[in-house]
Amino acid sequence: MATDAEVAAHLDLSDRTVRELRKRGVFPPLRRGSANLDAYRLAYIRHLREQAAGRSADASDVTAARVRLLTATARQREAIVGRLEARLITSDDMERVVGGMLSAARTRLLAIPSAAAPLVATVTDAREVQAVLTDHIHDALSELAEAEVVAAVKRQAVASADREAEKLGAGGAFDDGAALSGHTAVAGRQAQAPQPSA
């Protein structure tokens, strides 16, 4: 009967590796009168062949991990491309843009009393006061309607996608990150309307 040390020396392995292979069932359990060195050598050769053919548990674990990594990378790239095409807009992008517009609306509407007060101070007819106030409110609402919400949200989405592409490109996980980054920078420069502050 061969000892672990003899098997390790025969197969050019460490004692620890021999014990691990025995735990995994590659080598037979230690018993009196059990396998000789030839049986261990054959078992180890079969194990190596299975690994090379991709049938071992280790190989399937590695393959599964690679598939998960590739799937996650593909999803991440698709999300970035979708945002570059402005088809996917995150709630953060929407909150920044809409929040900025609501803040502008609040400021504009709060300015109406001070702008309209001098005009209605001397007016005694309620209909004239109403007309002046209505004109100021319509002017404020027209400005807000012209704020181009869709264009502002798309610009914000492109800026966010550009930041993500730069992060991925810097980490080496996204090979064509530089190309995407350049694309988004051009798209960002083409936008004419000012971006609302967050």
Side-chain angles (χ1 to χ4, degrees):
M1 175 179 129
T3 65
D4 281 351
E6 291 171 333
V7 172
H10 182 69
L11 297 175
D12 193 28
L13 300 172
S14 68
D15 290 350
R16 180 180 176 190
T17 303
V18 170
R19 286 190 302 273
E20 287 175 7
L21 290 171
R22 181 173 282 113
K23 280 182 192 174
R24 290 179 13 210
V26 174
F27 295 149
L30 280 176
R31 281 184 252 143
R32 266 191 135 5
S34 68
N36 59 22
L37 290 177
D38 291 335
Y40 281 99
R41 185 177 59 250
L42 287 174
Y44 189 59
I45 290 171
R46 287 185 185 123
H47 168 71
L48 292 176
R49 284 182 184 155
E50 284 182 8
Q51 271 189 323
R55 291 188 299 256
S56 74
D58 290 345
S60 65
D61 289 347
V62 170
T63 302
R66 284 184 182 151
V67 167
R68 285 193 305 274
L69 176 63
L70 289 173
T71 301
T73 303
R75 282 189 193 137
Q76 197 171 30
R77 289 180 178 187
E78 288 168 2
I80 290 172
V81 170
R83 288 174 73 183
L84 288 173
E85 293 172 351
R87 292 186 181 148
L88 177 65
I89 298 172
T90 66
S91 61
D92 287 344
D93 294 337
M94 186 62 85
E95 284 176 19
R96 281 188 199 101
V97 171
V98 173
M101 290 183 168
L102 289 175
S103 176
R106 180 181 183 276
T107 302
R108 182 66 174 94
L109 292 173
L110 288 174
I112 290 175
S114 60
L119 300 174
V120 296
T122 58
V123 178
T124 57
D125 184 24
R127 280 182 271 171
E128 286 183 49
V129 172
Q130 182 180 2
V132 170
L133 293 175
T134 301
D135 286 344
H136 276 78
I137 290 172
H138 282 279
D139 289 345
L141 292 175
S142 293
E143 285 178 26
L144 296 172
E146 293 169 5
E148 299 180 29
V149 176
V150 174
V153 171
K154 284 184 179 181
R155 280 193 306 279
Q156 182 63 46
V158 166
S160 294
D162 194 24
R163 284 190 299 275
E164 286 181 31
E166 286 175 12
K167 285 181 198 173
L168 290 173
F174 193 56
D175 302 341
D176 45 352
L180 284 174
S181 179
H183 171 73
T184 57
V186 170
R189 280 196 300 274
Q190 289 174 346
Q192 299 293 326
Q195 195 168 3
S197 59

